[in-house]
Amino acid sequence: MIKNSLLILGVLVLVTSCVSPKVYKDLESKYASLKQENRKLSRDNEKLMSWQNEAKNELKELKTDYEAAVAERDKLRADYNATKSNLDALKASYTALEKNSSDAIARNSQKNRELLADLEAKEQALAAENARLQKLNKALEERSNRIAELENVIASKDAAMTQLKNAISRALTDFEGKGLTVEQRGGKVYVSMENKLLFESGSWAVGTDGQTAVRSLGNVLAENQDIAVLIEGHTDNTGSDELNVELSKSRAGVVMNYLIDQGVDKKRLASKGFGGSMPVADNRDEETRQLNRRVEFRILNY
């Protein structure tokens, strides 16, 4: 194990010594810029999702208020109709009693005045409730339109990413099931290539199959100029964490340089090594460790 670690460390020193400090700093700066842009895009996407959730909550509250207002209006209308019926009945009674008793007439007159006042108050309340319903209807319509706009933006982004995933899948169809997977997660497309596909055994150079796969991915990037790629290197848990991080970083850098050699604008690329910190399998045997030794391409919208 010590001999193997020393050999790998020696290879790392040899590889990194071939990269000038200026190139290294440029790559770091480019990665930082892409990382910052990626964070901005993530924040924008989270903000859109937050706005959508807020709008949906407001819409739900507006609907609740609207339904309550409709119920209140219907109750007022029913009260109004009942009161009007009582008034009509009292007016009829008033006509009959007018012939028989002045005292009864006085009492009915007072009752009529009270009912008229009650009717007027109910009419005013009904008018106010109708005005509130109109206002709620307008707010409900505006909120619905805003939600529709947000849903269209999100749907458009998802559709674009789905289309990109399908294009990548078609370009790499010959390699799926041979150490390569393409999937869509959280509004981003991920292409994962195991080391056995990318590199020849015991070599740092991209192998024949790896060149074909990476070149096919590069062709898709050339057709989609509005996307960037973060190239992530990963290892298994064998060896020290520090050595694994450097190893994964170097392998991701090799793949990025191959893409640049194929004509992909280096401003659209960045690479980073994660060592064994993000396994996709539990490292219990050689088969699962092999799954963890991989390079992932995270496709991002500018």
Side-chain angles (χ1 to χ4, degrees):
M1 180 62 68
I2 295 175
K3 289 182 178 179
N4 289 337
S5 298
L6 290 175
L7 178 58
I8 293 173
L9 184 58
V11 173
L12 285 173
V13 171
L14 179 60
V15 171
T16 55
S17 65
C18 295
V19 180
S20 68
K22 181 178 183 304
V23 172
Y24 182 79
K25 289 182 178 179
D26 288 343
L27 289 174
E28 277 195 334
S29 175
K30 176 175 59 181
Y31 170 72
S33 175
L34 285 173
K35 184 176 181 182
Q36 182 178 5
E37 184 65 19
N38 179 43
R39 287 176 177 169
K40 179 179 179 298
L41 288 170
S42 296
R43 287 195 300 271
D44 290 344
N45 188 57
E46 291 173 358
K47 187 180 294 182
L48 282 171
M49 295 297 294
S50 175
W51 287 350
Q52 182 190 34
N53 290 333
E54 290 176 1
K56 286 184 177 179
N57 289 335
E58 291 179 11
L59 177 61
K60 182 177 179 182
E61 292 177 0
L62 284 171
K63 285 183 177 178
T64 301
D65 291 345
Y66 177 79
E67 291 168 359
V70 169
E72 181 66 21
R73 182 198 62 186
D74 292 344
K75 180 178 181 301
L76 286 169
R77 184 175 289 166
D79 289 347
Y80 174 83
N81 291 335
T83 304
K84 190 173 185 305
S85 295
N86 287 337
L87 177 62
D88 292 341
L90 283 171
K91 283 182 178 179
S93 176
Y94 175 84
T95 302
L97 290 173
E98 186 179 15
K99 300 176 181 179
N100 301 318
S101 172
S102 58
D103 291 338
I105 290 173
R107 287 194 298 272
N108 281 335
S109 294
Q110 178 63 29
K111 186 66 175 178
N112 282 344
R113 285 193 293 271
E114 292 173 357
L115 286 171
L116 285 172
D118 190 25
L119 275 176
E120 184 178 358
K122 287 186 180 341
E123 286 177 345
Q124 292 175 355
L126 189 60
E129 199 61 27
N130 281 328
R132 191 165 80 91
L133 277 175
Q134 290 178 356
K135 185 177 180 180
L136 285 172
N137 267 328
K138 183 178 179 181
L140 190 63
E141 182 179 356
E142 291 175 352
R143 188 57 56 190
S144 296
N145 291 337
R146 178 56 179 160
I147 289 175
E149 289 176 3
L150 291 172
E151 288 177 343
N152 287 336
V153 170
I154 293 172
S156 177
K157 287 182 177 292
D158 287 343
M161 276 299 169
T162 299
Q163 185 177 3
L164 178 61
K165 174 187 175 294
N166 293 337
I168 293 173
S169 294
R170 288 192 298 271
L172 300 174
T173 185
D174 292 340
F175 299 97
E176 292 199 40
K178 300 179 181 179
L180 181 144
T181 58
V182 182
E183 59 181 331
Q184 187 174 347
R185 302 194 307 266
K188 301 178 182 65
V189 176
Y190 291 81
V191 180
S192 179
M193 298 184 189
E194 294 179 20
N195 283 358
K196 69 177 183 179
L197 170 64
L198 283 172
F199 304 102
E200 299 290 351
S201 177
S203 173
W204 284 83
V206 179
T208 302
D209 288 343
Q211 290 179 9
T212 303
V214 175
R215 190 162 53 248
S216 298
L217 178 59
N219 292 336
V220 177
L221 297 180
E223 295 172 0
N224 295 269
Q225 295 293 322
D226 58 341
I227 60 176
V229 181
L230 177 59
I231 303 168
E232 303 176 347
H234 302 274
T235 69
D236 57 26
N237 64 347
T238 304
S240 70
D241 292 343
E242 182 178 356
L243 186 61
N244 282 334
V245 169
E246 289 301 320
L247 178 61
S248 62
K249 180 178 178 181
S250 296
R251 294 224 169 191
V254 167
V255 174
M256 184 181 72
N257 289 334
Y258 183 79
L259 272 175
I260 294 172
D261 291 341
Q262 298 305 306
V264 179
D265 186 355
K266 62 183 181 180
K267 293 180 180 178
R268 300 170 60 192
L269 304 174
S271 65
K272 185 177 181 180
F274 291 91
S277 63
M278 298 173 65
V280 294
D282 57 11
N283 288 302
R284 68 178 181 272
D285 52 31
E286 176 56 27
E287 182 178 351
T288 53
R289 285 193 293 272
Q290 181 174 272
L291 295 175
N292 290 327
R293 297 192 294 267
R294 69 198 189 279
V295 172
E296 286 192 351
F297 302 80
R298 193 192 315 180
I299 315 298
L300 312 168
N301 272 325
Y302 278 123

